[in-house]
Structure formats: C-alpha cells, structure tokens
Amino acid sequence: MLIRKLFKFENAHIVRDCTTQRCSENIHGHSYKIEVLLESNYLDNGQMVYDFGLTKRYIKELIDSFDHAITLWSKDDEAYVRSMKKYSNRWVELPVSPSAEQFSRVIYLMVERVLACTDMQNGEREVRLHSIIVHETETGYAQGFKDDAHSEAMGAIRLEEIVFSPQVQSEWSDPKLWEKLLDHSMIKNPKKV
C-alpha cells in the first residue's frame, strides 16, 4: 500500500553552473510542493499505513525548515554564503547545490532518518519511504528514490553536513531535533495528535 502526503514551502536559491543564466546567476524563488510517498504491507491499529496526522510533526517540521528561507550550497562563493547568512535569519546550508533533484535527495534522507528513529505507538509496521517528489514549478518536478538519495555518483550527502540556521531550529517543537536525528536517538510518536 502506498500513501502520499503533500507539503508546501516558499524558498530562494541559486543553482550554480546550470545552463539557464537566470537560475545560475540570480537569487530567485519557487513555490515548492513536496510529495512524501510512504509504503507498507501492513496497516496500523487504525487501519492506516501511517496516520497523516503524524507526518505533521517531525517530517513537516523538517520540510518546513525551508519555508521563507534561502537554501545555500556550502561550496558556493564564501563571501556570498556569509552575506546571505548575515542578512537572512532563515537559511539552510546543504553539501550539494539546491536543485530540485538535490532537494529530492536531501529530503529523502531526512525523512528516511525520521522514520528510522521513530518509536511507533499505534501498531505501524515496516513503514518505508518510497520516494520524494519535489515540484519546483507547475510543469517540472524531480522524483528521488532510495538509490538516488544514497548515490555517490550524484554527489555524497551526509546529514551531518546539513546546517539549519539558529532561527529555523528554534521554531521546531524540539530545538534539538536535528542533533537527536544525527545521533540516531529515538523520537517517540505521540499516542494521539
């Protein structure tokens, strides 16, 4: 069984070295739509793969980290990165360029870690992340799967190299969420939301 949950955020970026000059040489933004597709061969006590209400906690919080923020590539020009951090309180720094393709890989790895670290409370079993679809525009999207997310050929992504600004972290229900996920600490789903 496959289920889908849609999230949205507004984000600014530059995609260096892409063919389109407007994208590679100018800060610009998109209204992103993110589809999280989960699967399992089992249903929980409520006859669901995974209650959509549960996705509004840690999964939504991490995806929402990109909302009204600028996404930076750690290998971009140092002066540019420093300036963006100086003049924006909401930023996320990635070890890869923030293209739709890389966003799908990054978000895949984040959601995968959330699921791996979640102590399920309502009979959920073998809930797996099927894929992440990142709609950058109305006409274009990238879909990332497990092999893509873990592909060295597409550029290594280590979660430890993803940095969230202090303001972004302060807005999470648990400001230490990212630290806990990096440490593989268990996070407990609530019995009711």
Side-chain angles (χ1 to χ4, degrees), residues 128-145:
R128 298 172 306 282
L129 181 54
H130 174 271
S131 61
I132 297 289
I133 301 174
V134 174
H135 297 263
E136 190 172 79
T137 65
E138 288 296 316
T139 61
Y141 72 82
Q143 184 169 9
F145 298 87

Side-chain angles (χ1 to χ4, degrees), residues 10-184:
E10 309 293 326
N11 188 269
H13 68 171
I14 290 181
V15 183
R16 300 291 187 195
D17 302 322
C18 73
T19 306
T20 308
Q21 284 184 305
R22 284 186 177 185
C23 296
S24 65
E25 298 173 4
N26 301 285
I27 298 170
H28 61 284
H30 297 282
S31 296
Y32 288 91
K33 294 178 185 168
I34 309 299
E35 295 183 55
V36 176
L37 290 94
L38 302 175
E39 63 183 341
S40 180
N41 292 322
Y42 301 94
L43 299 177
D44 67 10
N45 296 339
Q47 305 293 294
M48 301 174 177
V49 167
Y50 196 73
D51 192 311
F52 288 133
L54 294 173
T55 66
K56 294 177 184 176
R57 294 194 45 94
Y58 307 119
I59 292 172
K60 181 183 187 306
E61 286 185 22
L62 287 175
I63 292 172
D64 193 57
S65 298
F66 295 96
D67 188 46
H68 285 75
I70 185 162
T71 302
L72 304 165
W73 180 26
S74 61
K75 292 184 176 72
D76 207 328
D77 180 81
E78 288 179 31
Y80 166 74
V81 172
R82 225 178 9 261
S83 291
M84 291 301 101
K85 288 180 178 180
K86 179 179 178 182
Y87 292 105
S88 180
N89 288 327
R90 288 185 58 80
W91 52 264
V92 181
E93 186 175 329
L94 303 178
V96 291
S97 185
S99 64
E101 292 83 349
Q102 295 291 30
F103 263 129
S104 73
R105 297 177 67 225
V106 165
I107 294 170
Y108 188 101
L109 293 170
M110 292 183 347
V111 174
E112 180 183 58
R113 180 63 61 90
V114 167
L115 291 174
C117 292
T118 298
D119 181 8
M120 307 290 182
Q121 298 294 306
N122 196 33
E124 302 91 350
R125 292 193 296 167
E126 297 180 24
V127 178
R128 298 172 306 282
L129 181 54
H130 174 271
S131 61
I132 297 289
I133 301 174
V134 174
H135 297 263
E136 190 172 79
T137 65
E138 288 296 316
T139 61
Y141 72 82
Q143 184 169 9
F145 298 87
K146 184 174 188 158
D147 288 346
D148 302 320
H150 293 277
S151 172
E152 293 285 327
M154 293 184 191
I157 300 173
R158 281 177 274 295
L159 291 177
E160 296 77 17
E161 295 177 351
I162 298 172
V163 182
F164 297 95
S165 72
Q167 181 175 338
V168 166
Q169 293 180 52
S170 74
E171 294 175 7
W172 296 333
S173 61
D174 180 353
K176 303 259 185 214
L177 174 62
W178 193 238
E179 287 177 45
K180 290 177 179 178
L181 292 171
L182 293 179
D183 290 339
H184 296 272

